[in-house]
Amino acid sequence: MKKLILAALVFCGGTAIAQSTYGIKGGLNYGATGEYENFSQVAGDASSIEDGNNKTGYHLGIFGKLEFLGIFLQPELVYTNLNTEYNNFDYKIDKIDAPILVGMNLLGPLHIKAGPSFQYILNNELENSSFKISEVENEITLGYQLGAGINLGRLGFDLRYEGAFKENNAFGDAAADTNFRIDSRPSQWILGVSYNLK
């Protein structure tokens, strides 16, 4: 009986210490996708390689958070718009991000967090160009996010870096005689604002 009471007290105490919240989030992202590579029609070798220029995009989504003794788990579901500028066109990606972050509270309202981020590409297209592009090799990829933030009451602010582990190429439409590839991996900074609903 004593063990049962002790177990109940530990459970109740743990439940009281653990805190769960959820809310909405959004903000701006600034970055680019990977290299644009234009192949020679004759030799089949790369005739030119170009890095993309950073542009501003945005993101909107929801999050949950379970915190226990200063350590928290924060899964999210976020729609992200990512833009990259190359010399002759812009490359646009719309995707769903599902990061699962583990974090730790530091001094006062400050915290750090990092974890894997699953990405599902909804759409990739070229703008300001007559070129045609294929779908990316893999619609679902795995990347990572890491960053730091601050909580002020129900409001939260954080800055993260997002990257990817391996290439995920989209190719030019061979039928349209456009022989190129673009590495769709994101490399971007994410500035977010969140609001706790609970």
Side-chain angles (χ1 to χ4, degrees), residues 45-56:
D45 298 327
S47 59
S48 65
I49 296 178
E50 178 188 342
D51 289 325
N53 296 316
N54 295 330
K55 290 191 72 176
T56 302

Side-chain angles (χ1 to χ4, degrees), residues 17-93:
I17 295 172
Q19 296 179 351
S20 63
T21 59
Y22 59 86
I24 56 176
K25 65 183 307 268
L28 299 176
N29 27 285
Y30 181 73
T33 49
E35 293 178 338
Y36 163 73
E37 188 171 2
N38 184 26
F39 297 96
S40 168
Q41 297 291 330
V42 178
D45 298 327
S47 59
S48 65
I49 296 178
E50 178 188 342
D51 289 325
N53 296 316
N54 295 330
K55 290 191 72 176
T56 302
Y58 63 90
H59 64 277
L60 298 166
I62 57 175
F63 72 92
K65 186 175 180 181
L66 181 63
E67 184 177 339
F68 183 77
L69 296 178
I71 298 175
F72 60 85
L73 179 68
Q74 183 171 321
E76 300 178 353
L77 192 62
V78 181
Y79 167 80
T80 299
N81 169 267
L82 173 63
N83 299 295
T84 305
E85 181 180 4
Y86 296 95
N87 281 338
N88 298 317
F89 56 83
D90 290 343
Y91 181 44
K92 176 183 174 183
I93 289 181

